[in-house]
Amino acid sequence: MLDPDAAVQQAIHLLFDTFARTGSAWKTVQFFTTHAIPFPRRVHNGPHRGELVWGPLVHGRVRQILHNPRYAGAFCFGRTHTRYTGDHKSHVEWLPPSEWMALVHNAHPGYITWDHFEDIQRRLRDNAKTYDTANSAHSPREGLALIQGLVLCGRCGRRMTVRYHERQWGLVPDYVCQYEGIAEGQAICQSVPGQAIDATIGELVVTIISPTVLQQTLAVQEEYRQQMRAVERLRQQEIDRARYEVHAAHRRYLLVDPANRLVAQSLETDWNTKLQILADLEATADRHHQEEPTLTPSQEAAIAALATDVPRLWADLATPQRERKRLVRLVIADVTLTRETEHILIQVRLHSGHTQTFRIPRPLTIGERRRTAASIVQQIDDLLNEGPENYVARVLNERGVRPVDGPCFTKDSVRHLREAHHLKSRRQRLRVQGWLTQNEVAAALHCGIATVKAWRRQGVLHAEAYNDHPEYLYAPLTYPIPNKGQWKRGWTATPEVMPQTEKEV
């Protein structure tokens, strides 16, 4: 049967309600500690065996209650199996419900239903940090990864963990499937950049929650009021118990024989102790009553208005990441990630049973981001047919083309790209077309180099600079060229006989 003390029943109900709201045994303990709520227990040993005492709630007590089927109205036997090893040591193993010797549902009144009990066991298993962390989901924590604990590997099916690495703008998460890599010393299954994935999941959650968030917000407000009323009732019942103890001590003191001073002094001390305990409880209740937040009608209206503007609330920098994770867990059961060659496949399974699939571009690696696009390399190759590297840099800047590692192109950056992609230089291209050096021209015309340079400046010989020094190459000598006597007598080349360059064409 349920405990006949109503305060005990309310304390246990509050424990289950707090766990349902927070999803964590530790958070349940924290709530009781923060609000200074005592919790009952029965003394099992010693002279006070069987008595009911009140004290702080501890984590072990919470787990004991949450794992006990009797609070769900079930009778059970054989939940554990003890085996002994050769060194006379015993090992206790917890068995699943299917292997219990006896399990009778609805054997007596319970605080929760059996379905609620099974849901609690599932949440506790998900929160557990066991050795097999690759297959366990965790309660939402303070990390930046939005779907931490909900990610499944699309290749092997195991749960993926989170790694963070530093970027200029802060930490960036990666979802990594590394169970086999750790357990068996193999390479990791896959690693998926998480920033774009979290953004996609955030947009999905905002879209799903927006139509129903107002109703959920009002339900949360009502749940908060009920919980605070339960806390107030527990505090008042504790004060009533302390007040009863004061009256009982007072009666015992009044009934003692005044001549028996030793007993009277002891009863008086007990009475004063009870009075001090009552005063402390009342002061604590007053302090918590003043510190606990209460929502005014205007604040409730503001919350209701905020609930309809989920995108702004989601994007607000003041919203803790832990709260975003809790919103994600309200609608999403798990997320399966598969890294493809150029894309990332995201398969989302909702609690409603529906699924949604997204395929987003795979973020570029640092090497890929610093790699010049093939289209830019092709433009450089084409422009080198027209002029040297400084000419290529000027044309690219005029076209608005920008390099990956600077604000504009320079002759040095063009030369670096040309050498990295094994492109022919302007000089090599001209030499392939048969253009000559000044020494070759001087030898062919039987003149000195000074004459060749002078004829180039006068326009007698057609030449082109292949760098910015400048150094020149000369066009093949297929057009009329004067001898020294003709040049000294004022010979000039006519436009009809001068060769045309590719740039002029």
Side-chain angles (χ1 to χ4, degrees):
M1 59 181 295
L2 301 183
D3 195 291
D5 192 334
V8 174
Q9 295 184 25
Q10 292 180 8
I12 297 175
H13 278 300
L14 182 61
L15 185 149
F16 283 111
D17 293 342
T18 304
F19 179 81
R21 179 177 58 86
T22 61
S24 168
W26 182 83
K27 280 292 184 181
T28 302
V29 176
Q30 187 183 44
F31 176 82
F32 274 73
T33 303
T34 303
H35 294 84
I37 305 172
F39 196 80
R41 67 179 179 89
R42 293 285 178 183
V43 180
H44 296 288
N45 299 305
H48 299 285
R49 179 179 180 181
E51 293 184 6
L52 180 69
V53 296
W54 294 76
L57 181 63
V58 295
H59 186 262
R61 180 61 174 154
V62 175
R63 292 185 57 84
Q64 178 187 6
I65 292 176
L66 295 177
H67 283 296
N68 196 334
R70 293 183 175 87
Y71 288 91
F75 170 78
C76 61
F77 183 78
R79 290 193 295 162
T80 61
H81 172 70
T82 305
R83 60 182 179 88
Y84 296 90
T85 59
D87 54 358
H88 304 288
K89 293 183 179 180
S90 61
H91 296 270
V92 179
E93 298 178 354
W94 288 88
L95 303 176
S98 58
E99 299 181 15
W100 293 352
M101 295 182 62
L103 176 59
V104 181
H105 298 293
N106 300 321
H108 54 76
Y111 290 92
I112 57 176
T113 64
W114 184 256
D115 291 339
H116 190 186
F117 174 78
E118 290 184 331
D119 181 67
I120 290 175
Q121 305 314 301
R122 179 187 59 78
R123 298 183 71 173
L124 289 174
R125 286 193 300 269
D126 292 342
N127 294 344
K129 285 188 173 181
T130 59
Y131 172 75
D132 188 12
T133 55
N135 286 323
S136 60
H138 307 321
S139 58
R141 304 184 187 279
E142 287 74 11
L144 297 177
L146 186 63
I147 51 178
Q148 178 184 8
L150 302 178
V151 188
L152 300 176
C153 178
R155 295 180 179 176
C156 66
R158 296 184 181 275
R159 288 200 178 270
M160 303 179 71
T161 55
V162 179
R163 288 180 182 175
Y164 293 97
H165 54 270
E166 188 75 26
R167 286 285 183 264
Q168 295 180 351
W169 55 87
L171 291 177
V172 177
D174 284 347
Y175 297 105
V176 184
C177 180
Q178 58 181 353
Y179 175 78
E180 293 183 356
I182 295 176
E184 303 177 9
Q186 301 179 6
I188 62 174
C189 183
Q190 67 171 344
S191 176
V192 184
Q195 190 173 20
I197 296 173
D198 288 354
T200 303
I201 297 299
E203 294 175 1
L204 174 63
V205 171
V206 169
T207 303
I208 294 176
I209 292 182
S210 295
T212 58
V213 70
L214 179 58
Q215 181 179 359
Q216 293 177 355
T217 304
L218 296 178
V220 169
Q221 293 183 36
E222 182 60 28
E223 179 184 357
Y224 176 79
R225 294 192 193 96
Q226 293 178 1
Q227 198 166 39
M228 289 300 101
R229 286 195 292 266
V231 171
E232 288 294 337
R233 287 196 299 269
L234 286 175
R235 289 203 187 109
Q236 187 59 44
Q237 289 170 356
E238 188 179 12
I239 292 174
D240 292 342
R241 284 194 302 271
R243 189 174 288 118
Y244 170 79
E245 294 291 338
V246 169
H247 293 327
H250 185 206
R251 288 196 303 270
R252 288 193 294 269
Y253 175 74
L254 293 178
L255 292 176
V256 70
D257 186 359
N260 193 350
R261 294 183 178 180
L262 293 178
V263 175
Q265 184 179 3
S266 176
L267 292 177
E268 184 180 9
T269 302
D270 182 62
W271 181 24
N272 291 331
T273 302
K274 301 295 184 182
L275 286 172
Q276 184 62 44
I277 293 175
L278 176 60
D280 292 342
L281 290 176
E282 291 177 341
T284 301
D286 292 339
R287 184 177 69 255
H288 281 280
H289 181 73
Q290 295 175 0
E291 293 177 354
E292 287 174 356
T294 57
L295 297 179
T296 63
S298 59
Q299 291 174 333
E300 293 180 0
I303 291 177
L306 269 179
T308 60
D309 193 9
V310 177
R312 184 169 62 87
L313 188 63
W314 182 273
D316 191 352
L317 296 178
T319 302
Q321 185 71 358
R322 181 187 181 93
E323 300 306 322
R324 294 190 182 94
K325 292 183 177 182
R326 294 185 64 184
L327 286 176
V328 169
R329 279 167 162 75
L330 289 177
V331 295
I332 295 179
D334 54 56
V335 180
T336 303
L337 301 179
T338 306
R339 179 168 180 159
E340 300 175 344
T341 304
E342 299 295 336
H343 297 85
I344 296 176
L345 179 63
I346 307 174
Q347 296 170 300
V348 183
R349 184 169 63 91
L350 307 178
H351 286 300
S352 60
H354 295 82
T355 60
Q356 295 200 26
T357 302
F358 304 91
R359 182 175 273 103
I360 62 175
R362 178 181 60 84
L364 300 177
T365 62
I366 184 64
E368 292 171 337
R369 287 197 296 269
R370 294 182 62 85
R371 186 178 303 161
T372 303
S375 60
I376 298 179
V377 176
Q378 184 61 46
Q379 291 187 62
I380 294 175
D381 190 21
D382 296 338
L383 290 173
L384 284 172
N385 292 326
E386 304 177 7
E389 289 150 355
N390 54 347
Y391 166 77
V392 175
R394 176 170 55 82
V395 174
L396 290 176
N397 293 330
E398 291 174 354
R399 293 179 179 178
V401 181
R402 294 292 178 263
V404 296
D405 56 352
C408 61
F409 279 98
T410 63
K411 64 176 183 178
D412 293 331
S413 62
V414 172
R415 182 172 61 254
H416 173 74
L417 290 174
R418 177 183 62 77
E419 294 174 351
H421 293 274
H422 307 288
L423 303 178
K424 291 182 179 180
S425 65
R426 179 59 180 164
R427 186 181 190 280
Q428 292 171 333
R429 295 165 191 258
L430 292 176
R431 292 291 286 173
V432 169
Q433 297 173 15
W435 287 55
L436 307 173
T437 64
Q438 62 183 6
N439 292 330
E440 294 172 341
V441 173
L445 298 179
H446 305 287
C447 63
I449 294 178
T451 301
V452 173
K453 293 181 178 179
W455 284 1
R456 173 182 56 80
R457 289 192 295 268
Q458 294 296 325
V460 175
L461 295 177
H462 179 64
E464 181 177 331
Y466 59 82
N467 57 28
D468 59 340
H469 288 300
E471 295 176 343
Y472 292 88
L473 287 178
Y474 294 80
L477 304 176
T478 58
Y479 50 91
I481 300 175
N483 55 36
K484 285 188 176 181
Q486 291 174 332
W487 180 62
K488 289 180 179 179
R489 289 192 296 268
W491 184 90
T492 57
T494 60
E496 297 82 30
V497 300
M498 290 300 295
Q500 292 182 321
T501 64
E502 295 181 8
K503 191 182 303 185
E504 292 170 341
V505 171

